[in-house]
């Protein structure tokens, strides 16, 4: 089996249990040397991606339910929204593996690790939802993460700049206030899940930073100016303050980049 072809097959899987199992089997095969890598092959984008279950219904972000954390349903809506982000994140990591050719082997191996961790996050959240009497698919969700992926499908530099370094990095900022909200209402299990996710997401953003800077270096581009241009060109969402400086620095953003962000 070949890693990038398998990533594409996995991306097309619609069932979330099958998709998470596929990712886990794929990383085991890769780590045990039972999966090779063809960095050169170009795949034609099929029209069945990303594979997703018939539920949740996808709606505009303004139609996503509000969350009152004091009610069980409100908390379930919030956990569901996070599970949906993680489900998308599995697809996003798989997508950069099959889509972009001619990168070093480490690039593919890094994103496979990300896909496996996203599958783990999804499973933690969905299992928590099940304990609360719900399951992934029970509430409507929005599609803005994948929309950014679609907009940047033809340009690896834009994709890495705007998905891991923008959308995923926003997760680092969103995590501490969310964690304190769930802890406040006594859901310590959810707080523990958020801790695991934050720890791993620092790694994902750091992988994004690494490959963005690598691409800039190979193309002789200045990372800050290039990011600013791409953010404008692709209408990246405005970053929301306050930023999680500590997590962003740990994820490889420079002080200079954080200063730029504060003034953006
Ligand atoms: Fe995640
Ligand atoms: Fe992630």
């Amino acid at each position: 089996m070949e890693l990038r072809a398998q990533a594409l097959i996995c991306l097309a899987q619609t069932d979330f249990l099958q998709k998470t199992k596929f990712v886990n089997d794929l990383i085991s095969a890769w780590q045990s040397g039972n999966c090779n890598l063809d960095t050169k092959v170009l795949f034609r984008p099929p029209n069945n991606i990303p594979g997703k279950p018939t539920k949740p219904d996808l709606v505009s972000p303004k139609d996503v339910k509000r969350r009152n954390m004091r009610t069980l349903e409100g908390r379930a809506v919030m956990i569901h929204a996070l599970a949906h982000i993680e489900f998308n994140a599995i697809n996003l990591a798989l997508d950069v593996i099959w889509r972009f050719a001619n990168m070093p082997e480490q690039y593919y191996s890094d994103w496979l690790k990300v896909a496996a961790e996203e599958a783990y996050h999804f499973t933690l959240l969905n299992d928590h939802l099940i304990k609360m009497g719900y399951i992934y698919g029970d509430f409507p969700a929005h599609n803005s993460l994948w929309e950014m992926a679609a907009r940047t499908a033809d340009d690896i530099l834009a994709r890495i700049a705007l998905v891991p370094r923008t959308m995923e990095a926003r997760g680092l900022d969103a995590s501490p206030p969310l964690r304190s909200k769930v802890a406040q209402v006594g859901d310590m299990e959810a707080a523990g899940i958020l801790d695991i996710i934050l720890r791993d997401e620092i790694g994902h953003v750091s992988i994004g930073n690494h490959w963005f800077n690598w691409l800039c270096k190979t193309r002789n581009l200045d990372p800050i100016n290039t990011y600013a241009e791409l953010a404008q060109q692709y209408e990246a969402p405005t970053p929301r303050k306050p930023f999680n400086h500590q997590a962003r620095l740990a994820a490889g953003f420079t002080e200079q980049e954080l200063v730029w962000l504060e003034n953006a």
Side-chain angles (χ1 to χ4, degrees):
M1 63 161 98
E2 195 282 315
L3 177 64
R4 293 178 57 225
Q6 292 296 314
L8 184 49
I9 297 170
C10 186
L11 177 58
Q13 297 284 320
T14 55
D15 181 88
F16 58 76
L17 287 176
Q18 271 169 27
K19 193 183 296 254
T20 51
K21 182 177 182 309
F22 199 122
V23 174
N24 291 333
D25 291 348
L26 187 55
I27 196 165
S28 302
W30 175 251
Q31 286 170 344
S32 58
N34 293 318
C35 179
N36 62 352
L37 171 67
D38 182 343
T39 60
K40 301 269 179 277
V41 63
L42 297 174
F43 298 92
R44 204 145 35 101
N47 47 23
N48 61 343
I49 56 165
K52 48 181 187 297
T54 46
K55 289 271 172 184
D57 293 328
L58 297 180
V59 296
S60 132
K62 64 176 172 26
D63 295 328
V64 171
K65 275 196 178 183
R66 287 197 176 260
R67 308 143 196 193
N68 177 352
M69 297 280 214
R70 305 220 163 266
T71 67
L72 178 74
E73 197 202 40
R75 264 193 300 123
V77 166
M78 187 276 295
I79 301 286
H80 186 277
L82 295 178
H84 181 67
I85 291 174
E86 299 295 348
F87 184 79
N88 271 284
I90 304 171
N91 285 338
L92 290 164
L94 293 169
D95 195 64
V96 295
I97 295 175
W98 77 267
R99 191 179 289 278
F100 300 115
N102 301 314
M103 291 294 286
E105 176 172 330
Q106 187 63 45
Y107 166 90
Y108 301 100
S109 159
D110 280 351
W111 293 110
L112 178 60
K113 176 176 178 272
V114 173
E117 288 177 357
E118 307 297 19
Y120 172 55
H121 299 166
F122 172 81
T123 305
L124 288 174
L125 291 162
N126 190 47
D127 287 352
H128 192 53
L129 262 183
I130 291 171
K131 279 187 215 157
M132 298 167 85
Y134 298 90
I135 194 165
Y136 180 58
D138 279 355
F139 302 106
H142 66 79
N143 202 26
S144 52
L145 264 175
W146 190 263
E147 281 158 14
M148 185 54 91
R151 263 188 268 164
T152 54
D154 298 323
D155 182 358
I156 184 174
L157 186 67
R159 172 66 68 84
I160 304 287
L162 301 176
V163 176
R165 292 185 87 239
T166 304
M167 311 294 269
E168 264 187 304
R170 279 173 54 159
L172 305 182
D173 306 325
S175 180
L178 198 56
R179 191 205 184 278
S180 62
K181 261 191 225 167
V182 295
Q184 229 168 52
V185 295
D187 189 347
M188 295 322 287
E189 195 178 330
I193 296 173
L194 288 174
D195 289 338
I196 294 172
I197 294 178
L198 177 60
R199 175 200 71 195
D200 294 347
E201 293 303 328
I202 291 175
H204 303 175
V205 177
S206 150
I207 287 169
N209 273 321
H210 172 78
W211 290 109
F212 179 75
N213 288 319
W214 185 89
L215 287 161
C216 285
K217 206 170 166 196
T218 356
R219 298 180 187 187
N220 222 346
L221 298 168
D222 171 74
I224 294 190
N225 293 336
T226 304
Y227 179 78
E229 282 163 23
L230 290 168
Q232 194 179 31
Q233 184 187 344
Y234 289 92
E235 295 169 15
T238 345
R240 252 180 246 148
K241 293 175 191 179
F243 301 120
N244 187 342
H245 280 256
Q246 203 191 353
R248 280 178 175 266
L249 286 173
F253 283 103
T254 62
E255 291 281 3
Q256 214 187 347
E257 281 167 327
L258 295 184
V259 169
W260 179 87
L261 198 64
E262 285 289 351
N263 300 308

